[in-house]
């Protein structure tokens, strides 16, 4: 008996968007979840009783007790494979992007460089970056204000950037900073940037500097690593301290030859 697949879809990006298009064209059964992408055990049992084999695409948490589930396959590859669809050249590009960016999103700059090393042109990557942001829900206002903010930041001609982005960005998920980070990648080889919005702030660069910025701003919620996300807005005096810290630390990076 041929298997009946039911696709449970979490996350949002250009690869997921392409997978949904294929499912719609094939008339396949699927459900696209809203954040935090929880699919309960009762729903699983109900669909299994209907004879469905469940396929999870970009779903991290799928039960009421938030059971962890690691997704390693490209969602688009899985959909094309299970629906018997042909793989186009564009599909393969999307899957390559998913491989480089989807698994290791917090090493964002390094993975973009991998796409370049794999032979992708700047035009191809910029096109996919924009499609990805569209799939994530960024509108023209976000794009225009991001471009204006980056242009303003670059006028300072420093080895670090302080980007004041006047956009309602209440979430601290990594993807919500892409209108800024995608643009900066092509302008400044070393990403050492503090992004400030009316609602929160993020630093991309060295984890050690990120922790220091969080400390000088007296923030209790701060995650380190390649991208630090601050869950509260920076007060004006905190912002000044953070900028002074960046000046000092960037001078040390330059002295030690760590600026690219």
């Amino acid at each position: 008996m041929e298997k009946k697949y039911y696709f449970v879809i979490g996350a949002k990006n250009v690869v997921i968007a392409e997978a949904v298009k294929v499912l719609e064209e094939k008339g396949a059964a699927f459900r696209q979840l809203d954040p935090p992408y929880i699919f309960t055990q009762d729903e699983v049992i109900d669909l299994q009783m209907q004879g469905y084999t469940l396929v999870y695409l970009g779903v991290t948490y799928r039960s009421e007790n938030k059971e962890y589930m690691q997704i390693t396959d490209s969602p688009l590859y899985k959909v094309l494979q299970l629906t018997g669809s042909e793989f186009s050249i564009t599909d393969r590009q999307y899957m390559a992007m998913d491989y480089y960016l989807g698994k290791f999103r917090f090493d964002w700059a390094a993975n973009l460089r991998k796409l370049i090393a794999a032979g992708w042109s700047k035009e191809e990557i910029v096109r996919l970056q924009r499609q990805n942001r569209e799939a994530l829900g960024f509108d023209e206002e976000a794009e225009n204000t991001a471009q204006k903010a980056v242009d303003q930041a670059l006028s300072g001609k420093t080895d670090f950037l302080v980007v004041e982005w006047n956009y309602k960005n209440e979430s601290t998920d990594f993807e919500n900073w892409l209108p800024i980070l995608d643009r900066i990648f092509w302008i400044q080889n070393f990403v050492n940037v503090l992004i400030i919005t009316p609602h929160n702030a993020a630093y991309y660069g060295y984890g050690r500097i990120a922790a220091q910025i969080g400390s000088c701003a007296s923030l209790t919620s701060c995650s380190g690593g390649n991208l630090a996300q601050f869950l509260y807005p920076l007060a004006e005096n905190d912002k000044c301290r953070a900028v002074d810290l960046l000046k000092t630390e960037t001078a040390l990076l330059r002295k030690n030859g760590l600026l690219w």
Side-chain angles (χ1 to χ4, degrees):
M1 180 184 295
E2 186 176 348
K3 284 187 177 181
K4 290 169 52 181
Y5 293 108
Y6 190 99
F7 296 85
V8 182
I9 303 170
K12 289 182 181 179
N13 56 43
V14 67
V15 181
I16 292 289
E18 289 301 310
V20 169
K21 286 181 185 178
V22 174
L23 293 173
E24 290 174 338
E25 290 170 0
K26 293 288 184 177
F30 72 94
R31 176 181 165 193
Q32 191 155 22
L33 304 176
D34 293 321
Y37 311 124
I38 295 174
F39 200 63
T40 67
Q41 193 63 32
D42 286 343
E43 291 173 295
V44 172
I45 293 171
D46 180 57
L47 287 166
Q48 288 175 338
M49 290 180 66
Q50 295 179 48
Y52 283 107
T53 297
L54 273 67
V55 180
Y56 300 96
L57 307 177
V59 179
T60 302
Y61 298 112
R62 66 176 182 91
S63 68
E64 290 173 326
N65 63 353
K66 295 190 175 181
E67 172 188 353
Y68 185 71
M69 185 174 179
Q70 181 67 46
I71 303 299
T72 55
D73 294 337
S74 163
L76 181 56
Y77 176 85
K78 190 175 286 187
V79 165
L80 292 169
Q81 183 185 50
L82 295 179
T83 59
S85 303
E86 294 292 327
F87 289 70
S88 69
I89 293 175
T90 301
D91 290 332
R92 295 181 188 280
Q93 284 184 317
Y94 283 129
M95 288 186 286
M97 178 179 174
D98 192 38
Y99 174 79
Y100 286 123
L101 299 183
K103 290 184 182 179
F104 309 104
R105 62 181 186 168
F106 291 109
D107 200 9
W108 155 84
N111 287 309
L112 285 176
R113 287 192 287 272
K114 288 179 185 176
L115 290 178
I116 294 172
W120 289 42
S121 68
K122 177 180 178 179
E123 290 72 21
E124 288 175 317
I125 298 173
V126 168
R127 173 176 59 83
L128 288 174
Q129 285 177 320
R130 181 60 187 264
Q131 289 177 335
N132 189 44
R133 296 196 302 272
E134 289 175 355
L136 288 166
F138 288 107
D139 56 16
E140 283 302 313
E141 179 192 1
E143 296 293 338
N144 292 337
T145 56
Q147 187 62 57
K148 182 178 179 180
V150 170
D151 290 344
Q152 180 64 33
L154 288 170
S155 65
K157 297 185 178 0
T158 62
D159 291 326
F160 65 91
L161 292 179
V162 178
V163 183
E164 299 199 41
W165 186 22
N166 186 24
Y167 184 72
K168 185 179 180 181
N169 184 16
E170 296 180 356
S171 172
T172 56
D173 289 343
F174 173 79
E175 288 84 357
N176 285 280
W177 306 99
L178 288 179
I180 300 294
L181 293 175
D182 281 346
R183 287 172 164 83
I184 289 171
F185 175 80
W186 299 104
I187 299 166
Q188 182 164 308
N189 288 331
F190 177 77
V191 179
N192 190 20
V193 57
L194 177 64
I195 309 170
I196 301 169
T197 78
H199 297 279
N200 49 36
Y203 167 80
Y204 193 96
Y206 281 103
R208 175 179 57 79
I209 297 176
Q212 287 180 284
I213 292 174
S215 176
C216 80
S218 302
L219 296 174
T220 56
S221 292
C222 169
S223 61
N226 285 336
L227 180 73
Q229 298 174 343
F230 309 134
L231 305 186
Y232 303 101
L234 287 175
E236 192 62 33
N237 57 340
D238 292 334
K239 182 171 70 175
C240 292
R241 285 199 296 270
V243 172
D244 287 342
L245 175 67
L246 275 178
K247 288 179 181 177
T248 301
E249 291 295 333
T250 304
L252 288 174
L253 292 175
R254 188 188 304 109
K255 179 180 179 181
N256 295 326
L258 294 176
L259 286 179
W260 297 357

